[in-house]
């Protein structure tokens, strides 16, 4: 007749932040052949946990179609909010399963980031992320449900020109400081035939509002979210 017994096996757990510690594992020992099976508690199991390191590269600039414009120490830099808005624009394009990042995605990116003067101005004028996304689908339609956007959907020509317009205008101003999301928003507005411009116009944005927005060109911080 088979004999059932229990034995405690010590084992050690190693982590990257602590010394090895002993614990005991209780195992039921069963003989399949009717004989007593004896197991000495000398067997050790060593479990090692290796911590993995994930690295990410954060760009301090945005794409340009002008190869002669090599970044230098004196070149204006994009603000952190502008860069985050661009990253959010790529994400919005992927959510909608679009193959490219267009001016409509740049517009949504500004609203998703949400803390800049440009985003505050849009919301104050009734232009919200929900409305922009809805108008985007109305204008451009829905993508094939089985289509998967690339990790970084490439910019459309109009979106690229909007980015370059922002840099050019910053250089023309002669002002020091960073290229804010206000420059980015006005760059979208400068592309008259783009989806972003058409969506803004549909939602009530016009040249008069663009002029009002210009006073925030060099301001990119809003301490409260409204």
């Amino acid at each position: 007749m088979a004999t059932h017994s229990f034995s405690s096996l010590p084992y050690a757990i190693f982590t990257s932040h602590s010394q090895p510690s002993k614990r005991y594992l209780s195992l039921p020992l069963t003989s399949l052949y009717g004989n007593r099976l004896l197991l000495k508690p000398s067997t050790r199991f060593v479990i090692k946990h290796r911590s993995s390191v994930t690295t990410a590269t954060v760009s301090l600039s945005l794409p340009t179609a002008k190869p002669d414009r090599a970044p230098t120490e004196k070149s204006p830099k994009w603000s952190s909010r502008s860069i985050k808005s661009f990253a959010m624009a790529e994400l919005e394009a992927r959510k909608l399963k679009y193959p490219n990042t267009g001016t409509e995605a740049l517009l949504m990116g500004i609203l998703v980031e949400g803390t800049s003067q440009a985003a505050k101005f849009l919301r104050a004028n009734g232009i919200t992320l929900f409305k922009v996304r809805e108008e985007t689908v109305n204008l451009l339609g829905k993508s094939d449900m089985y289509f998967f956007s690339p990790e970084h959907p490439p910019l459309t020509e109009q979106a690229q020109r909007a980015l370059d317009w922002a840099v050019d205008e910053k250089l023309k101003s002669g002002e020091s400081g960073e290229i804010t999301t206000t420059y980015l928003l006005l760059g979208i507005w400068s592309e008259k035939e783009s989806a972003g411009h058409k969506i803004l116009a549909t939602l009530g944005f016009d040249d008069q509002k663009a002029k009002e927005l210009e006073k925030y060109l060099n301001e990119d911080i809003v301490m409260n979210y409204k």
Side-chain angles (χ1 to χ4, degrees):
M1 183 174 181
T3 300
H4 301 276
S5 61
F6 290 84
S7 179
S8 296
L9 303 182
Y11 66 98
I13 296 179
F14 291 82
T15 66
S16 58
H17 303 290
S18 62
Q19 296 297 323
S21 61
K22 288 185 178 180
R23 297 183 184 179
Y24 289 86
L25 178 66
S26 294
L27 296 176
L29 306 179
T30 303
S31 173
L32 300 179
Y33 299 100
N35 298 322
R36 175 174 290 184
L37 178 64
L38 299 176
L39 182 63
K40 295 181 179 180
S42 59
T43 306
R44 308 189 77 184
F45 294 88
V46 179
I47 303 174
K48 293 184 179 181
H49 295 279
R50 295 183 179 180
S51 58
S52 58
V53 179
T54 302
T55 59
T57 302
V58 178
S59 175
L60 296 179
S61 186
L62 294 182
T64 178
K66 299 182 178 181
D68 57 324
R69 183 184 286 157
T72 65
E73 291 184 1
K74 294 182 179 181
S75 300
K77 303 294 189 299
W78 287 94
S79 70
S80 60
R81 285 173 173 79
S82 296
I83 293 172
K84 185 177 179 181
S85 295
F86 180 80
M88 294 300 100
E90 289 187 328
L91 183 59
E92 288 301 308
R94 292 181 65 193
K95 283 181 180 179
L96 292 172
K97 296 188 175 183
Y98 287 166
N100 298 94
T101 302
T103 53
E104 73 290 338
L106 294 177
L107 180 56
M108 286 187 281
I110 292 173
L111 288 164
V112 172
E113 191 283 325
T115 65
S116 66
Q117 287 286 4
K120 180 181 178 182
F121 186 88
L122 289 172
R123 290 194 301 271
N125 285 276
I127 302 174
T128 65
L129 176 61
F130 177 80
K131 290 179 180 178
V132 171
R133 189 179 286 136
E134 185 178 41
E135 289 298 327
T136 296
V137 174
N138 290 340
L139 182 65
L140 302 179
K142 293 183 179 180
S143 182
D144 189 325
M145 65 178 296
Y146 297 107
F147 175 79
F148 291 95
S149 301
E151 183 178 358
H152 299 288
L155 288 166
T156 62
E157 291 184 9
Q158 293 167 325
Q160 183 62 75
R161 287 198 300 266
L163 293 181
D164 289 331
W165 182 95
V167 177
D168 290 340
E169 290 301 307
K170 181 63 177 180
L171 291 171
K172 288 177 186 176
S173 71
E175 298 283 344
S176 59
E178 298 174 318
I179 308 170
T180 65
T181 50
T182 301
Y183 278 102
L184 178 57
L185 178 55
L186 292 175
I188 296 169
W189 183 247
S190 71
E191 286 297 314
K192 304 296 184 183
E193 299 302 319
S194 70
H197 180 99
K198 292 175 181 178
I199 291 168
L200 283 170
T202 299
L203 296 176
F205 195 90
D206 54 24
D207 289 334
Q208 182 60 38
K209 286 185 171 58
K211 287 191 175 296
E212 291 177 25
L213 186 60
E214 287 178 2
K215 63 183 178 182
Y216 301 117
L217 277 173
N218 297 304
E219 298 178 25
D220 211 15
I221 298 176
V222 178
M223 299 308 294
N224 60 333
Y225 185 96
K226 291 183 180 180

